[in-house]
Amino acid sequence: MNNQQYRAGITEAAKLFVGSRLKLARQLAGLRKVELAAQIEKTPTAIAGYESGRTRPAPATVAQLSVALGVEPSFFLATPSTMLSPSSNVIPHFRSLRTTTQVVRDQATAYGWIVHDIVQTLERYVDMPQCRIPSLPVPVDSETTSEPVIAAQELRKAWGIEKGPIAHLLRSAENNGIVAAFGPAQSASVDAYSFETPHRPIVILNPIKDDYYRQRFDLAHELGHLVMHLDVEPGGRLVELQAHHFASELLMPESEIIGQLPRRLNWSQLLTLKEYWGVSMQALLYRARELGTLSDITYRNAMIRMSKEGWRRQEPGRHPGLEQPSILPKSLELLESAGIAAVIIAREARAPMNLFSTATARQPTLSNATAEELTIEAHDFASPEKGGRVFSLFDN
Protein backbone atom coordinates (compact mmCIF):
# COMPACT_ATOMS: atom_id res chain seq x y z
CA MET A 1 0.00 0.00 0.00
CA ASN A 2 1.49 3.36 -1.04
CA ASN A 3 1.18 6.63 0.90
CA GLN A 4 -1.70 7.86 -1.24
CA GLN A 5 -3.69 4.68 -0.65
CA TYR A 6 -2.92 4.79 3.07
CA ARG A 7 -4.15 8.41 3.33
CA ALA A 8 -7.29 7.49 1.40
CA GLY A 9 -7.84 4.60 3.81
CA ILE A 10 -7.54 6.93 6.80
CA THR A 11 -10.00 9.38 5.26
CA GLU A 12 -12.51 6.60 4.58
CA ALA A 13 -12.09 5.21 8.12
CA ALA A 14 -12.70 8.65 9.61
CA LYS A 15 -15.90 9.09 7.61
CA LEU A 16 -17.27 5.61 8.34
CA PHE A 17 -15.74 5.12 11.78
CA VAL A 18 -17.49 2.49 13.95
CA GLY A 19 -16.93 3.11 17.65
CA SER A 20 -17.39 -0.52 18.70
CA ARG A 21 -14.47 -1.46 16.46
CA LEU A 22 -12.22 0.92 18.38
CA LYS A 23 -13.28 -0.76 21.62
CA LEU A 24 -12.52 -4.14 20.07
CA ALA A 25 -9.06 -3.03 18.92
CA ARG A 26 -8.31 -1.58 22.35
CA GLN A 27 -9.38 -4.82 24.06
CA LEU A 28 -7.30 -6.88 21.63
CA ALA A 29 -4.29 -4.77 22.59
CA GLY A 30 -5.02 -5.32 26.28
CA LEU A 31 -5.32 -1.60 26.98
CA ARG A 32 -7.61 0.39 29.25
CA LYS A 33 -9.10 3.65 28.02
CA VAL A 34 -6.71 5.69 30.14
CA GLU A 35 -3.70 3.84 28.71
CA LEU A 36 -4.79 4.32 25.10
CA ALA A 37 -5.59 7.97 25.78
CA ALA A 38 -2.08 8.54 27.10
CA GLN A 39 -0.53 6.98 23.99
CA ILE A 40 -2.33 9.31 21.57
CA GLU A 41 -2.38 12.34 23.93
CA LYS A 42 -6.14 12.44 24.30
CA THR A 43 -8.35 12.17 27.37
CA PRO A 44 -10.09 8.98 28.49
CA THR A 45 -13.34 10.88 27.98
CA ALA A 46 -12.41 11.39 24.32
CA ILE A 47 -11.73 7.67 23.90
CA ALA A 48 -15.07 6.85 25.56
CA GLY A 49 -16.79 9.25 23.15
CA TYR A 50 -15.21 7.61 20.12
CA GLU A 51 -16.16 4.13 21.34
CA SER A 52 -19.75 5.03 22.09
CA GLY A 53 -20.20 6.82 18.77
CA ARG A 54 -21.01 10.15 20.40
CA THR A 55 -18.04 11.74 18.65
CA ARG A 56 -16.00 10.79 15.60
CA PRO A 57 -12.19 11.06 15.49
CA ALA A 58 -10.51 13.27 12.93
CA PRO A 59 -8.37 11.56 10.24
CA ALA A 60 -5.18 12.45 12.12
CA THR A 61 -6.57 10.80 15.26
CA VAL A 62 -7.59 7.70 13.27
CA ALA A 63 -3.98 7.45 12.11
CA GLN A 64 -2.77 7.70 15.71
CA LEU A 65 -5.23 5.05 16.86
CA SER A 66 -4.22 2.75 14.04
CA VAL A 67 -0.53 2.99 14.96
CA ALA A 68 -1.11 2.73 18.72
CA LEU A 69 -3.32 -0.36 18.39
CA GLY A 70 -1.41 -2.05 15.59
CA VAL A 71 -4.33 -2.29 13.16
CA GLU A 72 -5.01 -0.99 9.68
CA PRO A 73 -7.34 2.05 9.43
CA SER A 74 -9.88 -0.22 7.71
CA PHE A 75 -10.19 -2.16 10.98
CA PHE A 76 -12.49 0.64 12.21
CA LEU A 77 -15.06 -0.02 9.47
CA ALA A 78 -18.17 -2.19 9.89
CA THR A 79 -18.01 -6.01 10.00
CA PRO A 80 -20.66 -8.75 10.41
CA SER A 81 -20.42 -8.54 14.22
CA THR A 82 -21.09 -4.79 14.25
CA MET A 83 -24.42 -5.46 12.52
CA LEU A 84 -25.66 -7.53 15.45
CA SER A 85 -27.92 -6.05 18.08
CA PRO A 86 -26.35 -5.29 21.49
CA SER A 87 -28.22 -8.26 22.97
CA SER A 88 -26.35 -10.53 20.56
CA ASN A 89 -22.99 -9.74 22.15
CA VAL A 90 -23.10 -12.65 24.55
CA ILE A 91 -20.50 -13.15 27.24
CA PRO A 92 -18.25 -16.18 26.75
CA HIS A 93 -18.14 -18.97 29.30
CA PHE A 94 -14.75 -18.62 30.98
CA ARG A 95 -13.60 -21.46 33.21
CA SER A 96 -12.49 -19.38 36.20
CA LEU A 97 -13.44 -15.74 36.53
CA ARG A 98 -11.48 -15.35 39.75
CA THR A 99 -8.08 -16.20 38.28
CA THR A 100 -8.27 -13.97 35.19
CA THR A 101 -8.39 -10.18 35.10
CA GLN A 102 -11.10 -8.27 33.30
CA VAL A 103 -8.52 -6.99 30.79
CA VAL A 104 -7.50 -10.55 29.91
CA ARG A 105 -11.13 -11.65 29.60
CA ASP A 106 -11.89 -8.66 27.39
CA GLN A 107 -8.90 -9.53 25.22
CA ALA A 108 -10.07 -13.12 24.86
CA THR A 109 -13.64 -12.03 24.11
CA ALA A 110 -12.44 -9.60 21.45
CA TYR A 111 -10.48 -12.37 19.76
CA GLY A 112 -13.63 -14.51 19.76
CA TRP A 113 -15.45 -11.82 17.80
CA ILE A 114 -12.56 -11.61 15.34
CA VAL A 115 -12.99 -15.36 14.78
CA HIS A 116 -16.75 -14.76 14.34
CA ASP A 117 -16.09 -12.22 11.57
CA ILE A 118 -13.61 -14.57 9.88
CA VAL A 119 -16.21 -17.36 9.95
CA GLN A 120 -18.89 -15.10 8.50
CA THR A 121 -16.56 -13.98 5.72
CA LEU A 122 -15.50 -17.52 4.83
CA GLU A 123 -19.15 -18.61 4.76
CA ARG A 124 -19.73 -16.27 1.84
CA TYR A 125 -17.66 -18.73 -0.18
CA VAL A 126 -17.77 -22.06 1.69
CA ASP A 127 -20.73 -24.12 2.85
CA MET A 128 -19.85 -25.22 6.38
CA PRO A 129 -21.54 -28.11 8.23
CA GLN A 130 -25.07 -27.50 9.42
CA CYS A 131 -25.40 -26.54 13.08
CA ARG A 132 -26.87 -29.41 15.09
CA ILE A 133 -26.65 -28.58 18.77
CA PRO A 134 -29.61 -29.53 20.95
CA SER A 135 -30.71 -26.91 23.46
CA LEU A 136 -31.30 -28.64 26.79
CA PRO A 137 -31.42 -25.92 29.47
CA VAL A 138 -30.52 -26.94 33.01
CA PRO A 139 -31.56 -24.71 35.96
CA VAL A 140 -28.50 -22.88 37.22
CA ASP A 141 -29.46 -23.52 40.84
CA SER A 142 -29.64 -27.30 40.38
CA GLU A 143 -27.00 -29.26 42.28
CA THR A 144 -28.21 -32.64 41.05
CA THR A 145 -26.07 -34.48 38.50
CA SER A 146 -28.96 -36.15 36.70
CA GLU A 147 -29.83 -33.23 34.40
CA PRO A 148 -26.31 -32.67 33.00
CA VAL A 149 -25.95 -36.44 32.61
CA ILE A 150 -29.18 -36.64 30.59
CA ALA A 151 -28.05 -33.68 28.49
CA ALA A 152 -24.78 -35.44 27.65
CA GLN A 153 -26.64 -38.63 26.75
CA GLU A 154 -28.97 -36.67 24.49
CA LEU A 155 -26.03 -35.02 22.72
CA ARG A 156 -24.50 -38.43 22.02
CA LYS A 157 -27.83 -39.53 20.53
CA ALA A 158 -28.24 -36.35 18.48
CA TRP A 159 -24.76 -36.72 17.02
CA GLY A 160 -25.09 -40.45 16.39
CA ILE A 161 -22.21 -41.35 18.69
CA GLU A 162 -22.14 -45.06 19.30
CA LYS A 163 -21.23 -46.66 22.60
CA GLY A 164 -17.65 -46.47 23.80
CA PRO A 165 -14.99 -43.76 23.54
CA ILE A 166 -15.44 -40.80 21.20
CA ALA A 167 -12.60 -41.29 18.73
CA HIS A 168 -12.19 -37.62 17.78
CA LEU A 169 -14.32 -35.25 19.83
CA LEU A 170 -13.23 -32.10 18.03
CA ARG A 171 -14.09 -33.57 14.64
CA SER A 172 -17.51 -34.62 15.95
CA ALA A 173 -18.10 -31.05 17.13
CA GLU A 174 -17.03 -29.57 13.80
CA ASN A 175 -19.12 -32.05 11.82
CA ASN A 176 -22.08 -30.68 13.74
CA GLY A 177 -21.42 -27.04 12.96
CA ILE A 178 -19.23 -25.84 15.83
CA VAL A 179 -16.23 -23.75 14.82
CA ALA A 180 -13.08 -24.22 16.85
CA ALA A 181 -9.84 -22.26 16.75
CA PHE A 182 -6.77 -21.91 18.89
CA GLY A 183 -6.45 -18.68 20.81
CA PRO A 184 -3.54 -16.25 20.47
CA ALA A 185 -0.53 -16.42 22.76
CA GLN A 186 -1.47 -13.21 24.56
CA SER A 187 -4.62 -14.80 25.96
CA ALA A 188 -3.01 -18.12 26.86
CA SER A 189 -3.74 -17.54 30.56
CA VAL A 190 -7.43 -18.07 29.71
CA ASP A 191 -8.51 -21.69 29.50
CA ALA A 192 -10.73 -22.94 26.68
CA TYR A 193 -13.90 -20.86 26.37
CA SER A 194 -17.01 -20.79 24.23
CA PHE A 195 -19.88 -18.58 23.18
CA GLU A 196 -23.00 -18.83 21.05
CA THR A 197 -23.30 -16.32 18.21
CA PRO A 198 -26.51 -15.83 16.20
CA HIS A 199 -24.89 -17.85 13.40
CA ARG A 200 -22.99 -20.75 14.98
CA PRO A 201 -21.18 -21.58 18.24
CA ILE A 202 -17.47 -20.86 18.59
CA VAL A 203 -15.00 -22.63 20.87
CA ILE A 204 -11.56 -21.14 21.47
CA LEU A 205 -8.93 -23.66 22.54
CA ASN A 206 -5.97 -22.87 24.76
CA PRO A 207 -2.87 -22.49 22.52
CA ILE A 208 -0.29 -23.73 25.03
CA LYS A 209 -2.09 -26.57 26.82
CA ASP A 210 -0.19 -29.29 25.00
CA ASP A 211 -2.14 -32.20 26.49
CA TYR A 212 -4.41 -34.35 24.33
CA TYR A 213 -6.40 -35.72 27.26
CA ARG A 214 -7.04 -32.39 29.00
CA GLN A 215 -7.87 -30.67 25.74
CA ARG A 216 -10.63 -33.22 25.09
CA PHE A 217 -12.10 -32.70 28.55
CA ASP A 218 -11.92 -28.90 28.07
CA LEU A 219 -13.83 -29.24 24.81
CA ALA A 220 -16.43 -31.55 26.38
CA HIS A 221 -16.85 -28.99 29.18
CA GLU A 222 -17.49 -26.21 26.65
CA LEU A 223 -19.98 -28.39 24.78
CA GLY A 224 -21.84 -28.67 28.07
CA HIS A 225 -22.14 -24.89 28.24
CA LEU A 226 -23.35 -24.68 24.63
CA VAL A 227 -25.99 -27.36 25.22
CA MET A 228 -27.18 -26.39 28.72
CA HIS A 229 -26.32 -22.72 29.31
CA LEU A 230 -27.40 -20.70 26.28
CA ASP A 231 -28.88 -17.80 28.29
CA VAL A 232 -27.01 -18.29 31.55
CA GLU A 233 -24.68 -15.85 33.30
CA PRO A 234 -21.25 -17.49 32.99
CA GLY A 235 -18.75 -18.26 35.72
CA GLY A 236 -21.01 -19.45 38.52
CA ARG A 237 -19.90 -22.40 40.66
CA LEU A 238 -22.94 -24.51 39.82
CA VAL A 239 -22.76 -23.63 36.13
CA GLU A 240 -19.17 -24.86 35.99
CA LEU A 241 -20.00 -27.95 38.04
CA GLN A 242 -22.85 -28.82 35.67
CA ALA A 243 -20.51 -28.51 32.68
CA HIS A 244 -18.03 -30.79 34.48
CA HIS A 245 -20.69 -33.46 35.08
CA PHE A 246 -21.76 -33.14 31.44
CA ALA A 247 -18.18 -33.63 30.21
CA SER A 248 -17.66 -36.67 32.44
CA GLU A 249 -20.79 -38.39 31.12
CA LEU A 250 -20.07 -37.42 27.51
CA LEU A 251 -16.55 -38.87 27.56
CA MET A 252 -17.07 -41.64 30.16
CA PRO A 253 -20.71 -42.81 30.12
CA GLU A 254 -21.63 -44.22 33.52
CA SER A 255 -23.41 -47.27 32.10
CA GLU A 256 -20.26 -48.33 30.27
CA ILE A 257 -17.40 -47.27 32.50
CA ILE A 258 -18.65 -48.08 35.99
CA GLY A 259 -17.74 -51.75 35.66
CA GLN A 260 -14.24 -50.84 34.42
CA LEU A 261 -13.27 -48.33 37.12
CA PRO A 262 -10.92 -49.54 39.87
CA ARG A 263 -12.28 -50.27 43.35
CA ARG A 264 -8.83 -49.77 44.82
CA LEU A 265 -5.81 -47.91 43.52
CA ASN A 266 -4.43 -49.69 40.48
CA TRP A 267 -2.22 -47.41 38.42
CA SER A 268 -1.73 -49.92 35.62
CA GLN A 269 -5.49 -50.25 35.25
CA LEU A 270 -5.90 -46.47 35.25
CA LEU A 271 -3.26 -46.08 32.54
CA THR A 272 -5.06 -48.63 30.36
CA LEU A 273 -8.40 -46.87 30.85
CA LYS A 274 -6.80 -43.50 30.15
CA GLU A 275 -5.61 -44.56 26.74
CA TYR A 276 -8.84 -46.41 25.91
CA TRP A 277 -11.28 -43.63 26.86
CA GLY A 278 -9.03 -40.69 25.90
CA VAL A 279 -9.22 -38.96 29.28
CA SER A 280 -6.63 -38.20 31.94
CA MET A 281 -5.99 -40.37 34.99
CA GLN A 282 -7.12 -37.43 37.12
CA ALA A 283 -10.46 -37.40 35.29
CA LEU A 284 -10.79 -41.16 35.78
CA LEU A 285 -10.05 -40.89 39.50
CA TYR A 286 -12.60 -38.10 39.87
CA ARG A 287 -15.13 -40.18 37.94
CA ALA A 288 -14.44 -43.22 40.16
CA ARG A 289 -15.06 -41.14 43.27
CA GLU A 290 -18.13 -39.53 41.70
CA LEU A 291 -19.65 -42.93 40.88
CA GLY A 292 -18.68 -44.43 44.24
CA THR A 293 -16.15 -47.04 43.13
CA LEU A 294 -13.39 -45.21 45.05
CA SER A 295 -13.83 -43.73 48.52
CA ASP A 296 -13.01 -40.11 49.31
CA ILE A 297 -9.98 -41.22 51.33
CA THR A 298 -8.63 -43.37 48.49
CA TYR A 299 -9.19 -40.50 46.06
CA ARG A 300 -7.28 -38.06 48.28
CA ASN A 301 -4.44 -40.55 48.64
CA ALA A 302 -4.32 -40.92 44.87
CA MET A 303 -4.10 -37.14 44.42
CA ILE A 304 -1.27 -36.98 46.97
CA ARG A 305 0.60 -39.68 45.05
CA MET A 306 0.05 -37.89 41.73
CA SER A 307 1.36 -34.63 43.17
CA LYS A 308 4.41 -36.36 44.66
CA GLU A 309 5.25 -38.03 41.34
CA GLY A 310 4.69 -34.84 39.33
CA TRP A 311 1.84 -36.51 37.47
CA ARG A 312 -0.57 -33.62 37.98
CA ARG A 313 1.58 -31.67 35.54
CA GLN A 314 2.48 -34.50 33.18
CA GLU A 315 0.94 -37.91 33.53
CA PRO A 316 2.66 -41.14 32.50
CA GLY A 317 1.65 -42.94 29.32
CA ARG A 318 1.40 -42.01 25.66
CA HIS A 319 1.14 -38.36 24.66
CA PRO A 320 -0.80 -38.16 21.38
CA GLY A 321 -0.83 -34.91 19.44
CA LEU A 322 -3.67 -32.51 20.08
CA GLU A 323 -6.93 -32.85 18.20
CA GLN A 324 -6.74 -30.09 15.60
CA PRO A 325 -9.42 -27.78 14.20
CA SER A 326 -10.25 -28.31 10.52
CA ILE A 327 -13.13 -26.09 9.42
CA LEU A 328 -11.27 -22.78 9.18
CA PRO A 329 -7.91 -24.14 7.94
CA LYS A 330 -9.57 -26.28 5.27
CA SER A 331 -11.90 -23.50 4.18
CA LEU A 332 -8.93 -21.20 3.69
CA GLU A 333 -7.01 -23.94 1.88
CA LEU A 334 -9.89 -24.37 -0.58
CA LEU A 335 -10.05 -20.66 -1.31
CA GLU A 336 -6.30 -20.37 -1.73
CA SER A 337 -6.37 -23.29 -4.17
CA ALA A 338 -8.95 -21.30 -6.15
CA GLY A 339 -6.61 -18.31 -6.24
CA ILE A 340 -8.13 -16.27 -3.41
CA ALA A 341 -5.24 -15.22 -1.18
CA ALA A 342 -5.47 -15.30 2.62
CA VAL A 343 -4.72 -11.58 2.77
CA ILE A 344 -7.84 -10.88 0.69
CA ILE A 345 -10.07 -12.86 3.05
CA ALA A 346 -8.45 -11.25 6.10
CA ARG A 347 -9.00 -7.80 4.65
CA GLU A 348 -12.64 -8.59 3.91
CA ALA A 349 -13.11 -9.81 7.50
CA ARG A 350 -11.29 -6.69 8.85
CA ALA A 351 -9.06 -9.08 10.78
CA PRO A 352 -5.42 -8.27 11.64
CA MET A 353 -3.28 -10.68 9.63
CA ASN A 354 -1.55 -12.12 12.69
CA LEU A 355 -4.89 -13.03 14.31
CA PHE A 356 -6.30 -14.27 11.00
CA SER A 357 -3.32 -16.62 10.71
CA THR A 358 -3.83 -17.83 14.29
CA ALA A 359 -7.54 -18.55 13.77
CA THR A 360 -7.02 -20.37 10.46
CA ALA A 361 -3.73 -22.07 11.30
CA ARG A 362 -3.02 -25.31 9.47
CA GLN A 363 -2.23 -27.99 12.02
CA PRO A 364 -1.24 -31.60 11.46
CA THR A 365 -4.19 -33.99 11.64
CA LEU A 366 -3.96 -37.05 13.92
CA SER A 367 -3.26 -40.13 11.85
CA ASN A 368 -5.98 -42.12 13.64
CA ALA A 369 -8.64 -39.51 12.81
CA THR A 370 -8.56 -39.85 9.02
CA ALA A 371 -11.97 -41.52 8.77
CA GLU A 372 -13.53 -38.90 11.02
CA GLU A 373 -12.36 -35.91 8.98
CA LEU A 374 -14.71 -33.59 7.19
CA THR A 375 -15.24 -34.28 3.50
CA ILE A 376 -14.82 -31.34 1.19
CA GLU A 377 -15.98 -31.07 -2.39
CA ALA A 378 -15.84 -28.23 -4.88
CA HIS A 379 -19.13 -27.19 -6.47
CA ASP A 380 -19.71 -25.22 -9.60
CA PHE A 381 -18.83 -21.59 -9.15
CA ALA A 382 -21.64 -19.33 -7.98
CA SER A 383 -21.17 -15.68 -7.19
CA PRO A 384 -21.21 -14.98 -3.41
CA GLU A 385 -22.86 -11.65 -4.14
CA LYS A 386 -25.86 -13.60 -5.51
CA GLY A 387 -26.11 -15.84 -2.50
CA GLY A 388 -24.15 -18.76 -3.95
CA ARG A 389 -21.07 -20.51 -2.52
CA VAL A 390 -17.89 -21.59 -4.26
CA PHE A 391 -17.26 -24.69 -2.14
CA SER A 392 -19.02 -27.02 0.24
CA LEU A 393 -17.74 -28.39 3.52
CA PHE A 394 -19.95 -31.15 4.85
CA ASP A 395 -20.23 -34.41 6.79
CA ASN A 396 -19.13 -37.83 5.69
Side-chain angles (χ1 to χ4, degrees):
M1 182 184 294
N2 58 39
N3 287 339
Q4 184 176 359
Q5 290 172 323
Y6 184 72
R7 287 195 296 271
I10 290 173
T11 301
E12 180 185 31
K15 287 180 180 178
L16 303 175
F17 192 86
V18 177
S20 61
R21 293 291 290 176
L22 171 57
K23 181 178 180 180
L24 193 74
R26 176 176 62 77
Q27 291 175 334
L28 284 171
L31 296 175
R32 297 179 175 85
K33 293 186 186 75
V34 65
E35 295 167 331
L36 177 58
Q39 288 195 28
I40 67 168
E41 299 182 337
K42 299 289 183 182
T43 66
T45 301
I47 300 297
Y50 301 151
E51 291 187 358
S52 68
R54 291 194 306 271
T55 57
R56 186 177 297 170
T61 304
V62 171
Q64 289 178 299
L65 290 168
S66 177
V67 171
L69 296 171
V71 298
E72 296 293 329
S74 60
F75 184 90
F76 302 116
L77 302 178
T79 70
S81 62
T82 63
M83 305 303 177
L84 301 176
S85 66
S87 61
S88 300
N89 291 293
V90 294
I91 303 173
H93 283 277
F94 292 115
R95 187 68 52 82
S96 178
L97 299 181
R98 290 178 297 178
T99 57
T100 55
T101 66
Q102 185 62 53
V103 169
V104 170
R105 294 198 299 272
D106 287 345
Q107 193 172 39
T109 301
Y111 174 74
W113 285 107
I114 292 293
V115 173
H116 167 272
D117 286 338
I118 293 170
V119 172
Q120 289 297 286
T121 300
L122 286 170
E123 283 204 272
R124 294 188 64 219
Y125 306 96
V126 176
D127 277 323
M128 295 182 182
Q130 181 182 353
C131 223
R132 291 187 292 265
I133 304 167
S135 178
L136 303 166
V138 173
V140 295
D141 58 351
S142 174
E143 297 200 38
T144 64
T145 63
S146 60
E147 290 159 305
V149 164
I150 292 171
Q153 293 168 349
E154 289 300 316
L155 182 66
R156 271 183 165 251
K157 290 178 186 176
W159 286 3
I161 297 173
E162 300 294 335
K163 290 185 176 182
I166 301 175
H168 198 303
L169 181 61
L170 183 50
R171 197 71 67 245
S172 295
E174 290 187 308
N175 274 330
N176 287 283
I178 295 172
V179 168
F182 284 110
Q186 60 262 37
S187 61
S189 61
V190 176
D191 221 327
Y193 58 101
S194 60
F195 62 108
E196 178 77 55
T197 77
H199 306 290
R200 61 177 64 243
I202 292 173
V203 175
I204 306 298
L205 302 169
N206 189 290
I208 63 171
K209 184 180 280 190
D210 189 21
D211 189 306
Y212 166 84
Y213 304 98
R214 290 188 172 91
Q215 183 211 44
R216 280 165 54 87
F217 200 91
D218 285 350
L219 177 56
H221 183 103
E222 297 310 317
L223 291 176
H225 286 314
L226 294 173
V227 169
M228 302 184 295
H229 301 140
L230 182 58
D231 296 313
V232 171
E233 186 74 21
R237 182 187 68 84
L238 287 179
V239 168
E240 292 302 305
L241 190 60
Q242 288 169 356
H244 183 91
H245 290 315
F246 177 99
S248 292
E249 178 65 21
L250 184 68
L251 294 173
M252 301 169 280
E254 177 181 356
S255 62
E256 299 178 56
I257 202 171
I258 193 165
Q260 303 174 15
L261 291 170
R263 299 192 176 271
R264 58 184 177 82
L265 279 183
N266 184 327
W267 297 104
S268 176
Q269 183 182 1
L270 284 167
L271 188 58
T272 299
L273 289 173
K274 167 184 175 174
E275 295 183 357
Y276 177 73
W277 286 99
V279 296
S280 68
M281 287 196 298
Q282 291 185 66
L284 285 163
L285 286 165
Y286 187 96
R287 188 68 163 149
R289 184 186 67 166
E290 182 180 53
L291 297 180
T293 67
L294 285 183
S295 67
D296 288 345
I297 293 175
T298 305
Y299 174 80
R300 285 197 295 270
N301 289 339
M303 290 295 103
I304 291 170
R305 171 72 185 279
M306 292 196 72
S307 296
K308 182 179 179 180
E309 299 289 345
W311 294 346
R312 298 192 75 168
R313 288 184 176 274
Q314 183 168 319
E315 293 186 354
R318 292 190 312 113
H319 297 280
L322 296 175
E323 294 185 354
Q324 307 291 349
S326 289
I327 285 184
L328 297 187
K330 288 190 174 186
S331 297
L332 180 60
E333 184 179 331
L334 276 172
L335 295 183
E336 287 184 319
S337 70
I340 305 175
V343 67
I344 301 298
I345 301 298
R347 189 176 299 139
E348 187 176 333
R350 314 282 186 216
M353 198 61 208
N354 63 322
L355 296 183
F356 181 87
S357 298
T358 298
T360 60
R362 291 186 180 87
Q363 301 287 352
T365 303
L366 294 175
S367 59
N368 63 358
T370 304
E372 295 283 331
E373 289 186 8
L374 296 172
T375 304
I376 307 172
E377 290 186 1
H379 286 196
D380 293 336
F381 180 84
S383 170
E385 287 76 14
K386 296 180 180 179
R389 299 314 205 307
V390 183
F391 298 104
S392 181
L393 190 68
F394 56 92
D395 297 357
N396 283 325

